[in-house]
Amino acid sequence: DVPMLEAVGHPSAVNPDRALRKLANERGWPTLVFSIGVPLRERIRQPRNAAATVGIACAGAATAGVAWHVSRRMGRRTS
């Protein structure tokens, strides 16, 4: 964390451990403490129909695989 905090223009130590808190105090960096966590699922919007999205992706991958296989077989026949 320290190299990244040194690289930015306005560093802030977020939920620092003891060593980082001490370093932040020595360097005059603000310290932010968040005690109430928010589950990741509540922060990220889930697709409305995840199963359909996965199905479409699998169908596209299968189609690409078949096209690749056919093109390789066709290339062998003409040689």
Side-chain angles (χ1 to χ4, degrees), residues 38 58 64 71:
V38 178
C58 289
S71 69

Side-chain angles (χ1 to χ4, degrees), residues 2 6 18-29:
V2 176
E6 290 175 333
R18 183 176 291 151
L20 183 56
R21 182 183 302 274
K22 181 180 176 188
L23 183 68
N25 287 335
E26 290 172 358
R27 297 189 181 186
W29 296 341

Side-chain angles (χ1 to χ4, degrees), residues 43-70:
R43 290 187 286 160
I44 298 176
R45 291 181 54 192
Q46 298 293 321
R48 291 185 181 181
N49 193 349
T53 303
V54 171
I56 291 169
C58 289
T63 302
V66 169
W68 175 81
H69 180 72
V70 168

